[in-house]
């Protein structure tokens, strides 16, 4: 049975004091939830990771990073390596977020290197994929997401997939208030799982958690999560409010 996951991407929001408060609030509000086969992850900025790991100790909250450099170490001013992340207790990293792709020019080739570095360091990856509005409008959306998966992930061996989580995030739905309909999400998640099954095998594909991201909120979470191939969500804006994030976790 694949794991259900609700992950909050805090982006460049929340300072150290706010991060501590937010983790405490989430901790309190989820402590009595059953959460069987469900993981709760939050991804603060680099600077707050070490304190977040400590604050989340002894709770159901896991802490992830939002990015990582592909090199092991060296002259890369301002960057953060896999080893640095591991040394503060990080086990999971978000890679390929559409903001990294569009604002920081991260392409499939670079992301494939980042994935290799993460996996070589025993880190788990939440890999984001998704089409732009133009591709959605011209009916090229399946092809676009298919090629992102092929270019960044299909060089992996079957054994590597135990450390891969996918997040389908249509770019037109991120931070826009516009959400893919449950049917649109299911169509894409099924397509992704099928592509993995064709490349590897059905059993492997059935075990990959595929999250949906794009304006998930308490009012739409349950409908989206009810789809057969949707295994949870990657949440931006709504993960910054403990009440909303908790309501989304309850919807899983
Ligand atoms: C995201 O940035 O990953 C995201 C899904 O953002 P939002 O929920 O705010 O659309």
């Amino acid at each position: 049975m694949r794991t259900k996951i609700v992950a909050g991407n805090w982006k460049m929001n929340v300072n150290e004091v706010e991060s501590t408060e937010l983790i405490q609030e989430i901790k309190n509000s989820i402590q009595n939830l059953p959460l069987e086969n469900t993981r709760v992850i939050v991804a603060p900025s680099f600077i707050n990771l070490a304190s977040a790991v400590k604050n989340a100790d002894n709770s159901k909250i896991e802490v992830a990073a939002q990015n990582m450099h592909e090199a092991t170490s060296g002259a890369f001013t301002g960057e953060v390596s896999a080893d640095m992340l591991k040394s503060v207790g990080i086990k999971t990293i978000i890679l390929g977020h559409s903001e990294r792709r569009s604002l920081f020019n991260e392409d499939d080739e670079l992301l494939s290197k980042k994935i290799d570095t993460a996996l070589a360091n025993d880190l788990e990856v939440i890999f984001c994929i998704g089409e732009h509005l133009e591709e959605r409008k011209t009916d090229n959306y399946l092809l676009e997401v298919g090629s992102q998966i092929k270019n960044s992930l299909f060089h992996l061996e079957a054994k590597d997939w135990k450390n891969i989580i996918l997040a389908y995030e249509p770019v037109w739905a991120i931070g826009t208030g516009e959400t893919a309909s449950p049917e649109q999400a299911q169509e894409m998640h099924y397509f992704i799982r099928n592509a993995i099954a064709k490349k590897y095998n059905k059993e492997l594909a059935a075990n990959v958690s595929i999250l949906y991201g794009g304006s998930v909120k308490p009012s739409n979470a349950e409908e989206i999560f009810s789809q057969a191939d949707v295994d949870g969500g990657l949440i931006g804006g709504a993960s910054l409010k403990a009440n909303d994030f908790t309501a989304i976790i309850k919807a899983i």
Side-chain angles (χ1 to χ4, degrees):
M1 192 181 15
R2 46 184 186 264
T3 315
K4 299 204 178 275
I5 301 168
V6 179
N9 174 14
W10 292 359
K11 311 192 185 189
M12 200 175 74
N13 296 298
V14 185
N15 66 25
E16 214 273 328
V17 173
E18 293 160 342
S19 168
T20 301
E21 282 169 7
L22 188 49
I23 288 190
Q24 192 56 51
E25 283 170 22
I26 299 169
K27 230 173 156 173
N28 293 345
S29 54
I30 68 168
Q31 67 181 350
N32 294 322
L33 299 183
L35 294 181
E36 276 141 32
N37 192 39
T38 302
R39 295 170 61 189
V40 174
I41 302 177
V42 297
S45 64
F46 283 138
I47 196 160
N48 294 325
L49 288 177
S51 71
V53 168
K54 289 193 183 111
N55 293 331
D57 197 25
N58 278 323
S59 79
K60 291 168 183 164
I61 304 172
E62 300 171 43
V63 180
Q66 297 174 19
N67 187 27
M68 183 206 74
H69 196 270
E70 66 279 14
T72 315
S73 64
F76 300 103
T77 303
E79 291 291 333
V80 173
S81 72
D83 182 54
M84 292 169 189
L85 294 170
K86 282 172 69 175
S87 72
V88 297
I90 296 299
K91 298 190 173 85
T92 305
I93 308 173
I94 298 171
L95 290 176
H97 191 277
S98 71
E99 285 148 20
R100 297 297 318 170
R101 291 176 189 263
S102 64
L103 303 174
F104 302 95
N105 301 320
E106 297 196 1
D107 59 14
D108 291 348
E109 199 186 334
L110 173 70
L111 291 167
S112 140
K113 288 185 191 149
K114 289 192 178 207
I115 289 169
D116 289 347
T117 304
L119 296 181
N121 282 279
D122 294 322
L123 288 161
E124 176 185 59
V125 173
I126 300 176
F127 189 61
C128 305
I129 47 191
E131 81 285 1
H132 287 86
L133 188 57
E134 308 80 69
E135 289 139 3
R136 173 59 63 174
K137 279 187 180 154
T138 57
D139 278 347
N140 274 337
Y141 54 97
L142 295 175
L143 277 180
E144 171 57 24
V145 172
S147 82
Q148 289 172 5
I149 298 172
K150 180 167 166 269
N151 295 342
S152 296
L153 293 169
F154 277 2
H155 64 288
L156 297 180
E157 291 178 39
K159 68 173 174 45
D160 297 326
W161 279 81
K162 67 177 187 313
N163 282 326
I164 301 288
I165 297 161
L166 293 176
Y168 167 56
E169 301 207 300
V171 181
W172 47 272
I174 297 180
T176 58
E178 199 170 326
T179 322
S181 67
E183 294 73 26
Q184 285 173 320
Q186 172 57 24
E187 179 195 35
M188 182 61 86
H189 284 227
Y190 177 78
F191 168 79
I192 293 168
R193 202 177 301 288
N194 206 25
I196 299 169
K198 277 193 198 148
K199 170 73 185 171
Y200 297 90
N201 59 68
K202 271 193 175 171
E203 197 192 336
L204 184 151
N207 283 319
V208 177
S209 297
I210 309 176
L211 317 183
Y212 170 80
S215 299
V216 176
K217 37 190 183 264
S219 57
N220 60 23
E222 198 170 335
E223 219 187 346
I224 294 174
F225 294 166
S226 70
Q227 300 300 305
D229 287 288
V230 177
D231 306 310
L234 180 55
I235 322 296
S239 70
L240 297 169
K241 290 190 193 127
N243 285 347
D244 286 354
F245 193 53
T246 305
I248 293 169
I249 295 166
K250 284 183 181 162
I252 197 105

